[in-house]
Amino acid sequence: MKSEDLFLEFAWLIKTLQKSDGMTFKELNERWVKDTEFSGGVEFNYSSLHRHFERLAECTGIYITFDQDRQVYYMENKKPKKGAELLEFLFQMVVVNKALKVFVGLDHRIDLQRFSMGEHVIKDVARAIRQNRVVEMVYLPHYSDEVKNHTVLPYGLKMYDCKTYLIGKTKDKIIPFELDRIKELTVTSKPFDMPADFNIHDYYFHYFGVFRDEAIPPEEVVIRTYDNEHKYLDELPIHHSQKKLRHRSGGYHEYKLFVSPTNDFISRIVSRMERIQIMSPQWLVEKVLQRLNRMQNNYKN
């Protein structure tokens, strides 16, 4: 079985069992066969299914267990940390891709937002990350009209705000490089030692966005929302640390986050300034007010 087909089966199993308290082999197989876009109408093989469960545990830390009493398969940990995010993303991409095929010839009835994946370099970037190979790139930063040459150790990928970034180490620091801004990229034959303790999720654990600032430590931030903004935040939290504090019926809702309030975070808040207010810390309130004053002055001038 091709690796991409195996990943799709993994993703399908995760999504199906996440929504269930347990399914028999017959129920699982029937659901799979009916989902012809993934199965092609071909049934699961009992022994190969169990091998899938073993591989899934090895790759992602997701354990699918058989309950002898109920005679059902169930997921032990429905919110696994390792590997499941990528599988879910791949699954969503395939589902959307299959659904959009029906719109071929109906361009006038669907309006899509472009998602920057860096299609011209992403395969080489992925190969360099997988093989721990140094890359040489010609890069055009947003702040300059001149390209710059970089030698980069590719640590990983991060997606943010409809863009994809290579997180790589240069001589003295780790930098996010937007894939669409890479003009040329060469994967060299030179290997590098990937730090064993590097985890991109841990690296951005206290951050919103893609740009880190070591000078801004994480701290508790309290925000207040108005109108129906809380419904959006409940459905799509700004940060994984977000927790609801209190609400006043017909009034406001307050949340706390433990985050490093960098410019990416401030920009997110300012983009919803009519409905989101920073309550604390005070220095952050003042910084947001300074940015709002600059915006107001731009309109006056």
Side-chain angles (χ1 to χ4, degrees):
M1 179 181 289
K2 295 180 180 179
S3 58
E4 56 265 35
D5 293 335
L6 187 61
F7 270 113
L8 287 178
E9 287 195 15
F10 284 173
W12 186 91
L13 286 167
I14 292 171
K15 297 294 287 184
T16 301
L17 290 175
Q18 271 182 334
K19 300 175 182 178
S20 167
D21 291 329
M23 298 179 70
T24 65
F25 175 78
K26 181 180 179 181
E27 291 170 338
L28 204 56
N29 190 46
E30 287 177 351
R31 180 80 61 86
W32 170 252
V33 172
K34 285 181 181 178
D35 203 345
T36 55
E37 289 184 332
F38 291 91
S39 68
V42 178
E43 294 186 353
F44 269 134
N45 177 280
Y46 183 81
S47 58
S48 64
L49 184 64
H50 278 260
R51 286 196 295 272
H52 283 2
F53 294 160
E54 293 174 2
R55 288 285 304 279
L56 197 58
E58 292 174 5
C59 295
T60 68
I62 299 171
Y63 292 91
I64 297 177
T65 305
F66 185 69
D67 186 326
Q68 291 286 353
D69 294 332
R70 296 189 297 146
Q71 293 289 296
V72 296
Y73 296 96
Y74 68 97
M75 283 180 61
E76 288 187 11
N77 45 341
K78 292 194 176 184
K79 292 185 178 179
K81 295 181 179 179
K82 184 178 70 170
E85 192 175 86
L86 176 58
L87 284 173
E88 184 169 350
F89 177 77
L90 290 172
F91 184 79
Q92 290 172 348
M93 292 285 283
V94 171
V95 170
V96 171
N97 179 58
K98 290 178 181 294
L100 288 179
K101 286 181 180 179
V102 304
F103 283 97
V104 174
L106 296 172
D107 297 31
H108 60 294
R109 297 180 65 181
I110 182 168
D111 188 5
L112 300 175
Q113 182 179 7
R114 183 177 181 273
F115 193 102
S116 168
M117 293 288 291
E119 295 87 349
H120 64 301
V121 294
I122 195 166
K123 284 187 177 180
D124 287 336
V125 168
R127 179 164 60 91
I129 292 172
R130 169 67 69 178
Q131 297 176 356
N132 291 335
R133 299 285 179 179
V134 176
V135 299
E136 302 282 351
M137 71 167 72
V138 178
Y139 188 75
L140 179 62
H142 282 285
Y143 59 80
S144 174
D145 293 328
E146 297 182 3
V147 297
K148 297 183 180 298
N149 295 313
H150 293 278
T151 299
V152 181
L153 313 185
Y155 278 13
L157 285 178
K158 181 172 176 61
M159 295 180 181
Y160 168 66
D161 198 22
C162 294
K163 298 177 182 179
T164 307
Y165 294 83
L166 165 63
I167 309 304
K169 187 170 189 245
T170 57
K171 288 182 180 180
D172 55 352
K173 57 185 176 180
I174 297 177
I175 300 175
F177 295 94
E178 185 183 332
L179 294 195
D180 271 1
R181 309 291 294 182
I182 299 176
K183 300 306 176 182
E184 297 176 23
L185 184 136
T186 301
V187 181
T188 72
S189 59
K190 183 179 179 181
F192 69 92
D193 294 324
M194 182 68 193
D197 60 349
F198 180 83
N199 182 302
I200 199 164
H201 304 291
D202 295 338
Y203 185 70
Y204 282 105
F205 191 77
H206 292 304
Y207 289 85
F208 173 85
V210 74
F211 293 99
R212 285 173 41 116
D213 188 341
E214 300 293 344
I216 303 177
E219 63 180 302
E220 184 177 287
V221 176
V222 177
I223 63 174
R224 179 179 291 181
T225 67
Y226 301 95
D227 299 328
N228 291 319
E229 190 68 19
H230 65 280
K231 295 180 179 179
Y232 294 99
L233 292 195
D234 289 343
E235 186 175 339
L236 291 172
I238 295 177
H239 189 256
H240 62 81
S241 65
Q242 176 180 303
K243 293 181 180 178
K244 184 173 286 189
L245 286 178
R246 63 184 69 88
H247 75 275
R248 178 179 293 175
S249 181
Y252 60 79
H253 291 69
E254 287 188 353
Y255 300 81
K256 69 175 180 179
L257 307 89
F258 192 75
V259 64
S260 297
T262 59
N263 282 329
D264 280 343
F265 178 78
I266 294 173
S267 294
R268 172 69 173 86
I269 299 300
V270 170
S271 72
R272 307 293 294 176
M273 59 185 177
E274 291 184 8
R275 295 178 179 174
I276 299 181
Q277 178 185 358
I278 298 285
M279 304 303 295
S280 67
Q282 185 58 33
W283 74 265
L284 185 57
V285 174
E286 293 171 1
K287 189 165 186 177
V288 170
L289 286 173
Q290 289 171 4
R291 184 178 290 198
L292 293 177
N293 285 333
R294 288 197 299 270
M295 292 170 60
Q296 189 176 38
N297 289 332
N298 288 339
Y299 279 95
K300 286 180 179 179
N301 296 331

